[in-house]
């Protein structure tokens, strides 16, 4: 018990002397041991790394999972997958053979594929990017912070010892008076006090130098952290590229399938006209029948426009024109043609093209 009390009293006294030293430094009443410029630069670089790593980590979490109550590691079903299942269930209720039902099935299947790609991306990004950043913040940085706090405490102890030695030497100098009857025993006591202060200073300096070296090695390890985070960043970019490429391919395929499906509005207009006729005159227009000859279609004198192709498109038959993303073509419509299609021309080639694959230019 006595040992614990003495240890507690010693710790309290040490804390008090450090607090006094720190306060006097802030008030400009005590000298402070300064670290060299290289060491200061290492600490500044480490602080900068910690601050920006924390911000990048938090924002990446928001990007991958906007809902703060959900954990990415427990992300089993994505919202897109749920939407796909709902669409497919609705199609079965409405009738899979109806235009709306069959379209819901196609879109629902695509949404499920998009959701599966998203789930895979979330898992890959979490493992390859988020986890290394978190490991640095919760592991390496905590160790660095602990050693830096210890170094600061030892620095305060060192400066306390320096101040004690300085006071002892000042007192010793004042005691050097011409009165030989009293100075000899007093000088002997003061010299002993100065010697003890010098011994404390040597011990404090040794402990400080040892801790400074440990801390310096940890701070220099930030360079390795940057190299590791760079590798993780490249893996994150690769995961994003794969994810968005998969999404693009899924949407392209969906658009192609929807482009080949019959248009519900066109079907309804034909049915309302009665068998064998159109809504206007009882006859199907040439474009609505299989007798359309693309080679016989002529561009109108006015009304043609330029269009930029947004996605690759493979023609389903000889009446359609295959497209390449980013190319420019000339487009126009003909009387009675389905509004979802245009006639496209590229050089000597022409054919039907889906409007959804185009950006009409002025």
């Amino acid at each position: 018990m006595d040992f614990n009390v003495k240890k507690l009293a010693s710790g309290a006294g040490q804390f008090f002397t450090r607090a006094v030293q720190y306060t006097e430094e802030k008030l400009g009443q005590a000298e402070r041991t300064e670290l060299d410029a290289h060491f200061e630069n290492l600490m500044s670089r480490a602080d900068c790394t910690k601050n920006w790593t924390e911000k990048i980590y938090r924002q990446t979490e928001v990007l991958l999972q906007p809902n703060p109550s959900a954990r990415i590691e427990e992300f089993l079903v994505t919202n897109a997958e749920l939407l796909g299942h709902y669409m497919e269930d609705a199609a079965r209720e409405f009738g899979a053979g109806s235009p709306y039902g069959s379209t819901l099935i196609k879109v629902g299947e695509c949404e499920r594929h998009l959701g599966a790609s998203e789930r895979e991306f979330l898992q890959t990004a979490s493992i390859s990017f988020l986890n290394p950043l978190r490991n640095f913040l919760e592991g390496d940085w905590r160790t660095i912070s602990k050693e830096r706090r210890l170094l600061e405490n030892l620095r305060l102890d060192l400066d306390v010892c320096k101040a004690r030695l300085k006071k002892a030497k000042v007192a010793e100098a004042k005691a050097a008076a011409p009165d030989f009857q009293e100075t000899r025993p007093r000088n002997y006591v003061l010299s002993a006090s100065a010697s003890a202060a010098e011994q404390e200073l040597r011990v404090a300096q040794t402990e400080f130098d040892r801790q400074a070296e440990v801390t310096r090695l940890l701070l220099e390890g930030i360079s390795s952290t940057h190299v590791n985070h760079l590798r993780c960043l490249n893996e994150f970019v690769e995961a994003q590229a794969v994810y968005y490429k998969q999404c693009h391919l899924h949407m392209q395929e969906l658009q192609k399938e929807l482009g080949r499906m019959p248009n519900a509005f066109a079907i309804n207009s034909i049915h309302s006209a009665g068998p064998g006729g159109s809504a206007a005159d009882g006859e199907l227009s040439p474009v609505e029948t299989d007798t359309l000859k693309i080679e016989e279609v002529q561009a109108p004198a006015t009304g043609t426009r330029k269009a930029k192709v947004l996605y690759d498109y493979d023609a389903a038959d000889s009446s359609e024109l295959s497209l390449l993303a980013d190319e420019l073509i000339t487009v126009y419509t003909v009387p009675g043609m389905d509004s979802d299609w245009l006639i496209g021309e590229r050089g000597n080639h022409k054919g039907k093209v889906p409007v959804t694959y185009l950006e009409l230019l002025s």
Side-chain angles (χ1 to χ4, degrees):
M1 178 65 70
D2 291 342
F3 174 77
N4 291 335
V5 172
K6 291 180 180 179
K7 185 177 180 180
L8 180 62
S10 176
Q14 189 178 47
F15 177 80
F16 178 74
T17 56
R18 288 172 179 171
V20 171
Q21 175 67 23
Y22 180 82
T23 303
E24 290 180 348
E25 287 176 0
K26 291 298 182 181
L27 297 176
Q29 298 174 356
E31 296 182 359
R32 171 191 173 96
T33 299
E34 298 293 342
L35 300 168
D36 60 77
H38 176 64
F39 202 102
E40 292 286 354
N41 288 335
L42 288 176
M43 289 199 298
S44 177
R45 186 165 180 252
D47 289 334
C48 184
T49 300
K50 182 263 181 181
N51 292 335
W52 283 111
T53 299
E54 196 169 44
K55 290 180 179 179
I56 292 172
Y57 174 79
R58 299 303 179 198
Q59 192 56 38
T60 304
E61 272 194 324
V62 173
L63 172 68
L64 299 180
Q65 178 48 266
N67 183 5
S69 63
R71 289 176 57 87
I72 295 176
E73 295 84 351
E74 301 171 354
F75 209 71
L76 301 178
V77 180
T78 63
N79 291 325
E81 288 176 300
L82 288 175
L83 176 60
H85 286 302
Y86 291 158
M87 287 183 171
E88 291 175 336
D89 291 343
R92 284 188 283 271
E93 289 287 336
F94 299 145
S98 67
Y100 185 33
S102 59
T103 303
L104 278 173
I105 290 178
K106 293 294 185 183
V107 177
E109 182 181 7
C110 180
E111 292 296 334
R112 285 194 297 103
H113 290 322
L114 292 174
S117 297
E118 180 186 3
R119 178 159 38 82
E120 183 178 354
F121 165 63
L122 293 177
Q123 294 172 348
T124 302
S126 178
I127 295 172
S128 64
F129 190 58
L130 275 184
N131 285 354
L133 297 186
R134 181 169 58 232
N135 291 339
F136 167 73
L137 294 171
E138 297 179 355
D140 295 350
W141 182 252
R142 287 185 179 179
T143 301
I144 291 174
S145 299
K146 176 184 176 182
E147 298 301 329
R148 283 176 65 176
R149 287 193 299 270
L150 180 57
L151 178 64
E152 176 64 10
N153 288 337
L154 293 177
R155 198 273 307 163
L156 290 170
D157 293 342
L158 175 62
D159 288 334
V160 168
C161 291
K162 288 180 178 180
R164 285 174 181 171
L165 178 59
K166 184 177 180 180
K167 290 178 181 179
K169 288 186 175 181
V170 170
E172 188 177 33
K174 288 182 178 180
D179 187 356
F180 293 99
Q181 294 181 354
E182 297 183 10
T183 55
R184 184 168 297 179
R186 181 192 292 178
N187 285 345
Y188 175 79
V189 174
L190 292 173
S191 296
S193 177
S195 297
E198 288 178 349
Q199 178 61 25
E200 289 180 356
L201 177 60
R202 282 193 292 269
V203 173
Q205 185 70 58
T206 299
E207 292 180 350
F208 173 78
D209 292 341
R210 184 186 300 114
Q211 183 59 32
E213 180 64 16
V214 171
T215 307
R216 181 183 65 80
L217 292 175
L218 289 173
L219 293 174
E220 288 177 345
I222 291 294
S223 296
S224 298
T225 298
H226 284 192
V227 173
N228 182 43
H229 288 182
L230 173 60
R231 177 183 58 80
C232 297
L233 180 60
N234 284 325
E235 292 180 3
F236 177 65
V237 171
E238 180 64 23
Q240 275 190 311
V242 171
Y243 168 57
Y244 289 122
K245 181 179 180 180
Q246 289 177 341
C247 291
H248 180 64
L249 292 176
H250 290 318
M251 294 307 300
Q252 275 190 316
E253 185 62 29
L254 176 62
Q255 285 187 310
K256 289 179 183 179
E257 292 184 0
L258 294 183
R260 297 188 182 105
M261 295 177 68
N263 185 278
F265 299 104
I267 292 174
N268 289 337
S269 64
I270 293 174
H271 289 173
S272 65
S278 66
D281 53 13
E283 295 181 0
L284 289 172
S285 66
V287 178
E288 292 172 328
T289 68
D290 295 333
T291 61
L292 174 64
K293 303 296 184 182
I294 291 297
E295 61 274 9
E296 296 178 1
V297 175
Q298 299 296 323
T302 59
T304 61
R305 299 179 64 177
K306 290 292 184 182
K308 179 182 178 181
V309 179
L310 299 177
Y311 318 103
D312 293 345
Y313 178 74
D314 295 327
D317 53 47
S318 60
S319 68
E320 297 179 5
L321 179 66
S322 294
L323 303 173
L324 293 175
D326 296 328
E327 71 174 332
L328 294 178
I329 62 173
T330 300
V331 295
Y332 53 88
T333 186
V334 295
M337 189 172 188
D338 188 342
S339 61
D340 289 340
W341 295 84
L342 293 172
I343 299 297
E345 289 190 1
R346 181 182 59 243
N348 295 326
H349 302 280
K350 60 183 175 181
K352 294 190 299 180
V353 293
V355 175
T356 54
Y357 279 64
L358 305 174
E359 177 186 355
L360 298 179
L361 307 176
S362 56

